[in-house]
Amino acid sequence: MSGRTNGTRKDIKMFKFKMLAAVAAMFMLSACADQAAVPAGGATAVAPGSIADFRQNVGDRVFFDTDQSSLRPDARTTLTRQAEWLKRYGNYQITVEGHADERGTREYNLALGDRRATAVRQFLVAQGVPAARLKTISYGKERPEVVGSDDGSWSRNRRGVSALQ
Amino acid sequence: MPRPTSRFRFLVAACAVAATSVFGIAPARAQLTIDMTRPNFEPVPIAIADFAGSDRVGAEIAQIIRNNLQNSGLFRVIPPAAVIEKNVNANAVPRHADWRGIGASGLVVGQVTATPGGIKVDFRLWDVVVGQQATGLSLNTQSAQWRRVAHIFSDAIYKRVTGEEGYFDTRVAYVSETGPLNRRVKRIALMDQDGANNRYLTDGAGLALTPRFSPTLQEIVYMGYAEGPPRVYLQNVESNRRELLGNFPGMSFAPRFSPDGTKVAMSLSQDGNSSLYEMNVRGRSQRRLTNSPGIDTSPSYSADGTQIVFNSDRGGTQQLYVMGSGGGGEKRISFGDGRYATPVWSPRGDFIAFTKIAGGQFGIGVMRPDGSGERMLASGFLVEGPTWAPNGRVLMFFRQQPNAAGRAGAVSLHAIDITGRFERQVPTPTDASDPAWSPLIPQ
């Protein structure tokens, strides 16, 4: 099948790219070592109230157990932070995306993703984020974050993501 | 019901060259018949000579018939190289003993003749064991329709030998998948049952999932992502005209037509809860069918339209339930280990096919409508989404390999007969999932 042949070629290309990147990274490391006196941080600082601030300093996603849509304690902690931030910065609309791992059937996982997105939305509303700012959408198992067929990948794909607009 | 477009209409000129009643009493007839429901049947050995005629269409038609019959698992096609005569005279009585000599029970011969309007194609199936013609057919059609002629002839042969309706003159809608797994482009594609004439029905701008055929063949329903929540769309496959099927505030998904094509059952989500509804396709009236705190999805009507089987986790895990088609009287029918999903009622009414998740594996199985007689046909890392051929004897589903090293595992369509003996991959130009088998195309 031609698709797979292409895939293999792509892999080889990707491998070459990774090798180049690794070599480049080594040079950069040595370059950094030369400039250790220069204060770091300029490139990674994010403006408070920006989408990057929300993602990096608040956390835009929470994770779920297999076939569950109840919010775990770690998810509640993240969502409490999200609610505080969203109340402070009232100019964003939020679409909560619900996702499932690949270990379920397509239609059931659409419903499961919908349930997860709704659980996140309801928690944020209960924390005082106006309901009118929050929409939900389910992607079921169609949009995995991590491409892999193992427990680690699946646990990161069972997620609710608060996307800001 | 809308009539098929003239492009798919055939002029059946001289049908029924067919079998005389002599066959009903001929004792050796068993040689050219098969009971596919019996375990350990032997495939019927059959020779298919290239059809006589002026160009290569005759050879192509013969090759399509060979592929169809061989792929059914019920026939053993004798390789063309072993066929004794080239350009067998389609009108002469064959030398039966010679064909028996190469191990054939049946012989297919035919010819293609140019006509003012297109082509005329004839075929005859000879039972070389008893030395009689078993069936035959003559079709006048446009030249471009020769592939369909080959499928219609394949169906006639299949029916004569098995006693069942064929399924070769059909199409399959499916989800074509391209690109990396986390940004996969998924569009609805349509092809002939054997993979020919592939074309795309959606443009890939938004995800399009779970296509299902109308019994009228001109329309499909599927779930698509555009503006707002993902919803169920109705699309004419000839004109590509598309319309939203009901404007609901939340997600609508998992659509499936009733056997008469007038209604679509589907899931609607409201506040995170998915319930089943039924919508009248033309009048757009709707009614609610289930009302439980669980996920109710993947509805499928019984062949007579009086019942619906569906998937629900109302009892804690995903199981299969049957209810009246107006809702009410829900009764659980799946009781094995594991989770059950995507139930699909056979068009014959005798089985419900399903996906089962147990022990870290997925399987495709069938059970009787009361839940008895569960039998697994295929299993793997991920197999999902069975769809029935119109004769209820063959299923198609999709099979996905595990993802590795950040790369999506291949996803492909597979067909399997209900004994589970013959599984084969169905060729598609791209990765493919979610097949939906059409009814027989009207002639």
Side-chain angles (χ1 to χ4, degrees), chain A residues 14 22 28 67 71 84 87 101 114 118 124 131 145 153 162:
Chain A
M14 187 52 79
M28 281 170 70
D67 200 18
L71 297 170
E84 288 311 312
K87 283 188 281 183
D101 68 29
D114 183 58
T118 303
L124 293 173
E145 177 77 25
S153 304
S162 302

Side-chain angles (χ1 to χ4, degrees), chain B residues 41-66:
Chain B
F41 60 76
E42 283 296 314
V44 172
I46 192 164
I48 296 142
D50 285 352
F51 283 24
S54 54
D55 61 8
R56 38 175 270 288
V57 169
E60 302 259 14
I61 288 175
Q63 191 53 40
I64 291 170
I65 297 173
R66 286 182 200 120

Side-chain angles (χ1 to χ4, degrees), chain B residues 108-190:
Chain B
V108 175
V109 296
Q111 67 182 2
V112 184
T113 319
T115 63
I119 49 173
K120 174 169 168 281
V121 194
D122 308 271
F123 98 96
R124 293 167 194 268
L125 169 65
W126 291 93
D127 183 334
V128 298
V129 177
V130 297
Q132 295 266 12
Q133 182 179 318
T135 190
L137 203 57
S138 178
L139 295 175
N140 278 298
T141 186
Q142 296 154 14
S143 307
Q145 293 290 314
W146 58 270
R147 293 195 71 92
R148 270 205 70 196
V149 171
H151 293 311
I152 291 168
F153 287 179
S154 301
D155 283 332
I157 297 163
Y158 184 96
K159 184 172 185 179
R160 175 59 184 77
V161 173
T162 68
E164 307 272 356
E165 291 297 326
Y167 57 88
F168 301 115
D169 188 27
T170 56
R171 289 185 278 180
V172 174
Y174 66 96
V175 175
S176 160
E177 302 197 11
T178 51
L181 200 63
N182 55 357
R183 296 191 308 279
R184 204 83 154 142
V185 175
K186 301 189 183 186
R187 15 184 217 163
I188 309 295
L190 181 67

Side-chain angles (χ1 to χ4, degrees), chain A residues 67-158:
Chain A
D67 200 18
Q68 296 297 314
S69 56
S70 55
L71 297 170
R72 305 191 313 217
D74 60 323
R76 289 169 179 271
T77 305
T78 303
L79 292 177
T80 304
R81 269 202 319 269
Q82 283 190 9
E84 288 311 312
W85 193 95
L86 291 169
K87 283 188 281 183
R88 188 174 316 139
Y89 302 106
N91 50 325
Y92 292 105
Q93 298 292 310
I94 307 103
T95 301
V96 182
E97 301 172 357
H99 298 270
D101 68 29
E102 64 182 0
R103 303 311 284 162
T105 46
R106 186 166 259 169
E107 289 177 342
Y108 180 84
N109 277 4
L110 286 167
L112 182 59
D114 183 58
R115 241 188 205 170
R116 286 173 174 162
T118 303
V120 168
R121 179 180 189 272
Q122 286 173 344
F123 188 91
L124 293 173
V125 170
Q127 296 292 308
V129 181
R133 291 174 60 196
L134 287 152
K135 285 190 300 190
T136 59
I137 188 167
S138 173
Y139 286 101
K141 62 174 174 176
E142 312 304 322
R143 283 279 178 268
E145 177 77 25
V146 183
V147 178
S149 291
D150 50 76
D151 287 333
S153 304
W154 296 330
S155 66
R156 288 169 64 195
N157 288 333
R158 294 188 297 266

Side-chain angles (χ1 to χ4, degrees), chain A residues 25-42:
Chain A
M26 282 164 65
F27 280 113
M28 281 170 70
L29 273 177
S30 57
C32 285
D34 290 343
Q35 300 170 23
V38 178

Side-chain angles (χ1 to χ4, degrees), chain B residues 190-234:
Chain B
L190 181 67
M191 64 182 186
D192 294 350
Q193 145 286 131
D194 63 351
N197 294 321
N198 189 81
R199 62 190 170 97
Y200 296 97
L201 302 181
T202 63
D203 62 9
L207 288 169
L209 308 170
T210 66
R212 271 76 198 253
F213 259 104
S214 161
T216 69
L217 268 170
Q218 305 305 308
E219 289 174 324
I220 57 165
V221 281
Y222 64 94
M223 187 245 210
Y225 287 68
E227 285 299 302
R231 287 176 174 141
V232 170
Y233 292 85
L234 178 72

